[in-house]
Amino acid sequence: MAAALPLTRADLAARLPDIACTADDPALARVLALPARPAASADLIAALSAALRTRPGPELRQAQAEVLREAWEYRGAFAPMQVGAGKSLPTFLLPTVLHAQRPVLAIPASLFGKTQRDFARYSADWRVRLPHLISYEEMGRDDRHGKLDALQPDLLILDEAHHLRNDSSRTRKFARYIASRRALETDFGSLLRVVALSGTLMSSSLVDYHHIAVWCLGDRAPLPVRTSDAERWSAALDRDLGPLRRIELGGLSTIPGGYHDWFRSRRGVVPTRGSDCNASIRIQPWRPDVPKPILDLIAQVEATSTRPDDVVLSTLELPGCLADLALGFYSRWDPIAPTWWSEPRSDWYAYERDVIALRLDGIDSPMQLRNALDAGRGDLPDADAGRRMLAAWRTVEPHFVPNPVPVWIDDSVLRQAAEYVTRRGAQPAIVWVDPIPVGRRMHELGVPYYGAGNNPETAPGGRSITCSLHAHREGKNLQDRFARSLSLSLPATADWWEQKIGRVHRAGQSADTVLAEYIDAIDYHGDVMTRVLAQARADALASGFDYKLTLADWA
């Protein structure tokens, strides 16, 4: 069965009806007829544990047993399992339980080492098998279109599956392979089983995870199989549509307990809270003294959308530049971009910035503007000129790849951060950063930097460290040495915050309070935190789980 990827919300408002569905809608009738998921009984847990252990010991957790049972009996599982719920063991037991011949486990590249260590640990007590490992990053490469076809997995396990929620090239590769295998299914059973697991698998928008649920469960998924139906339901249920109109529930209002509760209670769906952590969470700002010349430069860049080296920034690039400047640097390109490339880029980005600033209906992002021009939308200002500029930019864009190098103006904010987390008597802290130059400068200032390829779990105890957000926000267990963190780079999504705080707010944390501090030096920082808290509240309503951001006490 082909699982179409969700369209962007930019196209919804003009073509959706005023209700999600009627009371006699076939998709709704199918969803209402789906069976409820029974809780795994103590006898089942004991029997599964005994069959899968190599020697006496602890039993499977209830959620672990349910994932294994659903994958076997229901031919797939969609498992929103929070941080600390024990996702690793099922990923190694699934190949054994399902008698898979060619199991493949997809994970972030940064988790390869941890996955192999976890497998070695579990292999002493459990009948585990290590699937063939592939990374989401690898699957995003242009030369990996045939990777899954070559491996021909009969079991595809997607750990940290939120990496496939967006419509990216790697997501399309998985979609194509799953669709091709499902097209070969016969009455003798499925040729492919898919299990997706993640602590942040469900968001406030149904269309974000619709395709993954269909990959896992096909027409047994408790949501519409057709993307067009899912879009209508999403437009009625979503909490973050922004300026797009929200339509009425229609027949969805008849679902007992509401749609999201119904979804989470159906067979094949295994939502699981993380293991208990008794520590409270406190989130508070850290406000360094930013030198006035830096503040003046930030104001100038924000007003002109132009980098200090006179490069015009896109709408998407501007926030990152402002955040870098707040830390005392910006990135220039070495070598400098050629004129034949930079001029079409500047022309297009200037047009993009001016049109988005008008806040026209359905034009809130660069992608929406590009789609509107491609579709021939006629009410855009200077639309013909915009199309010419976009065409010119697309022609040259692939032919020069910028090589950013840092230009430091004033590192006093980083010096303040280093002193703050290393001063005598201070509790050891994790300093979370994103740009590699910031991590390296913190390392020079005496706060060791753990980037890609360096495991912070091996860091010596009793001292503060700097961690790469990209490399270590997932999969690391740091609760035995840290209960405090300082974010100098602010993730712009609730998912990232959930993962990041989950490195220390998890079972085994002995501190009474986990303190998560964030830099609050410019308006941009406050805007980010306001947005991610609103997103966390909306995602919590959909998933049924409290996000760590929503559980926290905010200063």
Side-chain angles (χ1 to χ4, degrees):
M1 177 193 325
L5 292 174
L7 300 178
T8 63
R9 297 184 195 124
D11 304 320
L12 293 180
R15 64 189 188 89
L16 291 176
D18 290 331
I19 63 171
C21 63
T22 60
D24 59 352
D25 183 88
L28 176 61
R30 181 188 60 79
V31 168
L32 287 174
L34 292 172
R37 182 191 69 258
S41 67
D43 288 344
L44 173 64
I45 295 172
L48 264 178
S49 300
L52 293 172
R53 288 195 67 90
T54 57
R55 57 187 180 185
E59 293 186 339
L60 293 165
R61 301 180 191 178
Q62 178 173 327
Q64 293 171 332
E66 289 184 5
V67 169
L68 297 175
R69 181 198 64 196
E70 296 302 282
W72 171 259
E73 294 182 358
Y74 212 63
R75 293 179 287 152
F78 179 88
M81 301 176 72
Q82 282 191 307
V83 173
K87 294 188 282 88
S88 297
L89 181 55
T91 63
F92 302 133
L93 290 174
L94 279 164
T96 300
V97 170
L98 299 180
H99 306 293
Q101 300 301 305
R102 299 174 304 280
V104 168
L105 172 59
I107 55 175
S110 61
L111 298 188
F112 267 57
K114 177 182 182 299
T115 299
Q116 290 163 338
R117 291 192 298 273
D118 286 346
F119 174 75
R121 176 164 55 91
Y122 285 125
S123 63
D125 300 300
W126 296 91
R127 302 183 191 282
V128 293
R129 288 172 56 196
L130 182 64
H132 183 92
L133 301 181
I134 60 174
S135 74
Y136 296 120
E137 292 84 352
E138 176 191 10
M139 293 302 294
R141 289 167 43 182
D142 291 341
D143 61 350
R144 289 298 185 267
H145 286 289
K147 177 74 172 183
L148 290 172
D149 290 323
L151 294 173
Q152 287 288 300
D154 55 351
L155 170 62
L156 187 54
I157 307 167
L158 309 173
D159 193 12
E160 305 296 356
H162 57 274
H163 285 271
L164 297 174
R165 284 200 329 214
N166 60 336
D167 182 9
S168 63
S169 62
R170 63 189 175 203
T171 303
R172 290 191 289 273
K173 292 183 182 71
F174 282 97
R176 281 193 293 270
Y177 177 75
I178 293 170
S180 68
R181 297 295 288 176
R182 291 281 160 80
L184 300 175
E185 289 185 4
T186 70
D187 293 338
F188 296 102
S190 172
L191 298 173
L192 171 68
R193 297 197 185 189
V194 181
V195 176
L197 313 97
S198 172
T200 51
L201 189 51
M202 294 178 66
S203 75
S204 60
S205 180
L206 183 151
V207 294
D208 284 348
Y209 58 87
H210 159 261
H211 59 291
I212 302 178
V214 174
W215 291 349
C216 295
L217 303 174
D219 59 7
R220 305 174 307 284
L223 41 65
V225 173
R226 293 196 312 174
T227 301
S228 58
D229 291 336
E231 290 168 352
R232 289 199 302 273
W233 288 31
S234 187
L237 294 163
D238 288 2
R239 298 294 191 272
D240 64 344
L241 285 174
L244 295 181
R245 63 191 177 99
R246 187 173 176 192
I247 65 177
E248 297 300 321
L249 290 171
L252 295 184
S253 62
T254 67
I255 297 179
Y259 170 73
H260 289 112
D261 283 350
W262 186 267
F263 177 91
R264 293 190 298 266
S265 67
R266 299 302 94 184
R267 290 220 63 175
V269 180
V270 187
T272 315
R273 297 186 182 278
S275 55
D276 291 336
C277 179
N278 294 325
S280 62
I281 305 172
R282 180 174 176 80
I283 298 177
Q284 66 186 34
W286 175 70
R287 297 189 174 100
D289 293 324
V290 182
K292 187 176 184 303
I294 293 289
L295 293 176
D296 291 343
L297 183 58
I298 289 172
Q300 176 185 331
V301 171
E302 188 170 20
T304 63
S305 293
T306 304
R307 221 166 53 193
D309 58 348
D310 296 326
V311 171
V312 176
L313 298 167
S314 74
T315 305
L316 294 178
E317 292 172 326
L318 178 59
C321 184
L322 298 178
D324 290 346
L325 286 170
L327 299 177
F329 80 106
Y330 70 93
S331 295
R332 65 172 176 83
W333 296 331
D334 185 14
I336 298 173
T339 302
W340 56 262
W341 187 89
S342 61
E343 288 185 352
R345 178 183 189 275
S346 295
D347 290 344
W348 164 247
Y349 283 155
Y351 176 82
E352 172 191 276
R353 179 194 66 215
D354 292 343
V355 174
I356 290 176
L358 295 175
R359 299 187 179 277
L360 301 174
D361 183 36
I363 307 295
D364 303 297
S365 71
M367 183 57 68
Q368 290 173 348
L369 175 57
R370 292 186 182 211
N371 290 341
L373 288 170
D374 289 341
R377 178 167 163 173
D379 64 338
L380 300 174
D382 298 321
D384 289 339
R387 273 186 279 273
R388 287 195 298 272
M389 285 185 278
L390 178 55
W393 169 230
R394 282 172 167 164
T395 299
V396 301
E397 182 179 10
H399 302 294
F400 174 76
V401 179
N403 175 45
V405 297
V407 178
W408 286 96
I409 304 169
D410 187 325
D411 67 357
S412 61
V413 167
L414 296 190
R415 292 182 180 276
Q416 292 174 62
E419 192 280 329
Y420 182 60
V421 299
T422 59
R423 69 177 186 269
R424 183 181 299 275
Q427 188 181 38
I430 303 170
V431 182
W432 291 103
V433 300
D434 190 359
I436 293 174
V438 177
R440 290 174 175 168
R441 183 58 60 96
M442 289 296 293
H443 189 89
E444 294 169 359
L445 294 171
V447 188
Y449 174 52
Y450 290 82
N454 297 306
N455 183 9
E457 292 172 316
T458 64
R463 65 179 302 186
S464 295
I465 63 173
T466 305
C467 272
S468 163
L469 266 171
H470 270 91
H472 302 305
R473 78 181 191 275
E474 298 170 320
K476 301 302 187 295
N477 298 311
L478 304 174
Q479 72 276 15
D480 58 338
R481 277 162 292 171
F482 300 99
R484 177 187 173 212
S485 65
L486 170 62
S487 294
L488 296 182
S489 301
L490 305 187
T493 68
D495 288 357
W496 279 51
W497 280 93
E498 181 75 3
Q499 295 282 355
K500 180 176 71 68
I501 297 176
R503 297 311 100 222
V504 296
H505 190 264
R506 57 195 301 126
Q509 176 58 257
S510 59
D512 293 333
T513 300
V514 165
L515 177 62
E517 297 180 278
Y518 64 92
I519 185 171
D520 186 15
I522 57 177
D523 290 344
Y524 168 74
H525 294 141
D527 292 343
V528 167
M529 298 308 293
T530 298
R531 289 198 305 273
V532 296
L533 179 56
Q535 185 185 54
R537 288 169 173 161
D539 289 354
L541 286 173
S543 68
F545 298 144
D546 288 320
Y547 269 50
K548 298 186 187 299
L549 288 172
T550 64
L551 289 171
D553 296 319
W554 287 68

